[in-house]
Amino acid sequence: MAESFERARTLILEKVFPLSVEAVGLLAAAGRVLAEAIESPCEMPHWDNSAMDGFAVREEDCRPGARLTVSGYIPAGGTADGIRVTPGEAVKIMTGAPVPAGGHAVIPIEDTEADGETVVIKGSPRVGDHIRFRGEDIQQGELVMTAGSVLRPAGISLLASFGFTTVNVYRRPKVAILSTGDELVEPGEVVGPGQIVNSNAYSLAAAVKEAGGVPVLLGIARDTRESLKEKLAVGLQADVLITSAGVSMGDRDLVCEMLQDAGVERLFWKVDIKPGRPTAFGLKESTPVFSLPGNPVSAIVTFEEFVRPALLKMQGYHNVIKPFVKARLLEAVKKRPGRVQFLRVSVTENGDRLEATSSGDQNTGILLTMLRANGIAVLPAEREKIEAGEEVDVHLLSKEKL
Ligand code: AMP
Ligand code: MG
């Protein structure tokens, strides 16, 4: 029996879990998911420092027009050791430099007139002006990021500020990709009669990379038990195995049988979707195995809807299902009730709303309409027809054409 689209995705997401944790350098950590909580080892800033290039002054000396003696200079990277702001004096200070003892405020250069020896104050600074106080940003021991946070540039900035050079994140899954079929040749090889090029391995590898995984290309298994057995055994060493083709009802569609033989427990093997009905999912112990259809469009669409969320969950992400955007479908679409239909669409902005049009021939054999689509409209199973002008849910594939 075929599973519904939602149930199939739930079954998958119930069975995959974040992988082990690895320590990586800060650059490699960008965009990854933290596997540890981060507490600040220190106060930030470390000491009171100037937020402006200017003069450290005492509040009571600073009536507008007051002339003060410049008694010292603290550049960025300098220290305030032995320097004190005494009555009638100002200390020249650069942004980020430590505020000297006795300095109540920093008055920015643009609010002064200086001649080197003396400085005339134009404003009337109040205590604390233009000083970043020790610990005002972050307290020592403060929890700044929880495990499960995605490391964005600000997070990387904090880790660097704390002096960390590595951080613990969830590992990226190694994803073995196996194409199956007697008709396949590799790109660059002579394409004989009846043969086609193994493009799925490359589209799927590209999709794996886009989803943060590490693709491992296993090449082609022929439609024989021996060939499949050998290649599947290698593929099952990876964190995830994806096969394409050989799961329909054809004489030589042996993938399901050979997966079972290899000890893969099947959770479903058909989904009520179009395209992509012959999609299967199973587990060998904790290793997920996706058997995607051979048709290049179906392989891309089923990857997007089923494999991508699983790869994200394995990397520790929480929001693994792409949020829908609402777009107004500009033409009526007839569909087969009982199956979710993935309509390849081109989404454009029109004022403050999005509009979607079919990117062309929706036959599963037509790759060009996949290429020209920047979204997949997910049309509900129960519907028979979507009227022109109705809002539909779209998974954006790219923001490029918006
Ligand atoms: P199958 O699921 O084996 O019946 O294959 C369905 C369709 O997908 C057939 O037209 C195959 O030639 C095509 N196909 C299978 N594998 C690949 C592949 N690796 N790259 C491109 N097309 C493929
Ligand atoms: Mg085949």
Side-chain angles (χ1 to χ4, degrees):
M1 210 199 63
E3 292 294 347
S4 72
F5 170 48
E6 290 77 13
R7 170 100 182 116
R9 199 162 52 185
T10 304
L11 276 171
I12 294 167
L13 290 177
E14 278 173 3
K15 299 291 183 189
V16 300
F17 302 98
L19 295 171
S20 56
V21 171
E22 63 180 353
V24 299
L26 292 193
L27 266 188
R32 305 277 293 272
V33 181
L34 257 180
E36 60 179 329
I38 302 293
E39 288 178 3
S40 176
C42 53
E43 289 180 302
M44 294 266 292
H46 296 299
W47 11 261
D48 297 355
N49 69 89
S50 176
M52 299 291 280
D53 295 331
F55 293 87
V57 293
R58 289 155 29 94
E59 189 198 27
E60 52 269 44
D61 289 343
C62 290
R63 294 163 317 280
R67 181 179 292 272
L68 305 175
T69 305
V70 179
S71 63
Y73 172 51
I74 311 174
T79 76
D81 291 353
I83 301 179
R84 179 169 226 3
V85 187
T86 49
E89 289 182 350
V91 172
K92 190 172 180 188
I93 189 167
M94 297 294 108
T95 305
V99 175
H104 299 153
V106 170
I107 181 157
I109 273 184
E110 46 272 43
D111 295 341
T112 66
E113 267 166 31
D115 64 8
E117 307 273 286
T118 63
V119 58
V120 176
I121 306 300
K122 293 198 286 191
S124 12
R126 280 161 312 161
V127 173
D129 277 1
H130 304 297
I131 293 176
R132 305 164 178 153
F133 289 99
R134 170 179 167 176
E136 77 172 17
D137 188 359
I138 296 168
Q139 296 292 305
Q140 183 171 3
E142 187 174 334
L143 177 68
V144 289
M145 283 183 277
T146 52
S149 317
V150 178
L151 283 167
R152 292 180 292 112
I156 300 287
S157 169
L158 277 179
L159 295 172
S161 304
F162 295 159
F164 296 175
T165 54
T166 62
V167 63
N168 288 321
V169 296
Y170 292 102
R171 210 157 56 70
R172 297 179 184 281
K174 283 202 188 69
V175 184
I177 297 170
L178 179 63
S179 301
T180 72
D182 284 336
E183 73 277 36
L184 301 178
V185 295
E186 290 292 4
E189 289 180 4
V190 175
V191 185
Q195 296 188 315
I196 60 158
V197 176
N198 170 21
S199 59
N200 284 352
Y202 297 88
S203 60
L204 293 172
V208 165
K209 283 177 79 173
E210 210 174 69
V214 180
V216 181
L217 270 62
L218 298 184
I220 299 165
R222 298 305 170 190
D223 292 322
T224 64
R225 291 191 169 78
E226 303 68 50
S227 178
L228 280 164
K229 184 175 174 156
E230 182 197 325
K231 294 281 192 183
L232 291 176
V234 179
L236 288 168
Q237 306 296 313
D239 298 311
V240 179
L241 169 60
I242 303 176
T243 67
S244 75
V247 280
S248 325
M249 301 300 276
D251 299 342
R252 299 198 214 156
D253 289 343
L254 295 169
V255 171
C256 283
E257 180 190 323
M258 294 313 293
L259 281 172
Q260 230 160 337
D261 218 57
V264 176
E265 180 204 350
R266 190 164 76 193
L267 281 107
F268 63 77
W269 67 298
K270 274 194 172 57
V271 191
D272 281 328
I273 53 175
K274 184 180 169 23
R277 186 169 151 85
T279 296
F281 173 70
L283 287 173
K284 162 97 188 213
E285 282 126 36
S286 62
T287 306
V289 179
F290 295 89
S291 308
L292 306 185
N295 184 286
V297 170
S298 310
I300 293 172
V301 171
T302 51
F303 181 98
E304 171 70 19
E305 298 296 337
F306 295 119
V307 187
R308 184 181 176 279
L311 296 188
L312 292 179
K313 186 168 178 199
M314 294 176 86
Q315 293 167 81
Y317 294 95
H318 290 286
N319 299 317
V320 299
I321 296 177
K322 225 179 233 185
F324 282 131
V325 298
K326 297 271 182 202
R328 206 140 78 100
L329 190 63
L330 294 185
E331 66 222 272
V333 172
K334 281 210 173 115
K335 66 177 280 297
R336 178 190 167 128
R339 288 195 198 172
V340 164
Q341 183 169 343
F342 300 121
L343 188 75
R344 286 155 260 165
V345 291
S346 161
V347 180
T348 49
E349 253 170 12
N350 183 358
D352 57 1
R353 66 200 307 175
L354 297 178
E355 291 177 345
T357 50
S358 161
S359 64
D361 190 340
Q362 295 289 323
N363 195 301
T364 44
I366 308 295
L367 190 61
L368 205 57
T369 47
M370 187 79 239
L371 181 75
R372 302 239 160 102
N374 62 350
I376 296 173
V378 180
L379 310 182
E382 69 280 2
R383 299 292 299 275
E384 212 165 323
K385 187 180 182 197
I386 311 294
E387 304 294 345
E390 266 192 68
E391 273 206 333
V392 290
D393 289 328
V394 178
H395 278 155
L396 288 178
L397 296 169
S398 154
K399 293 194 171 115
E400 282 294 297
K401 280 188 272 174
L402 282 176

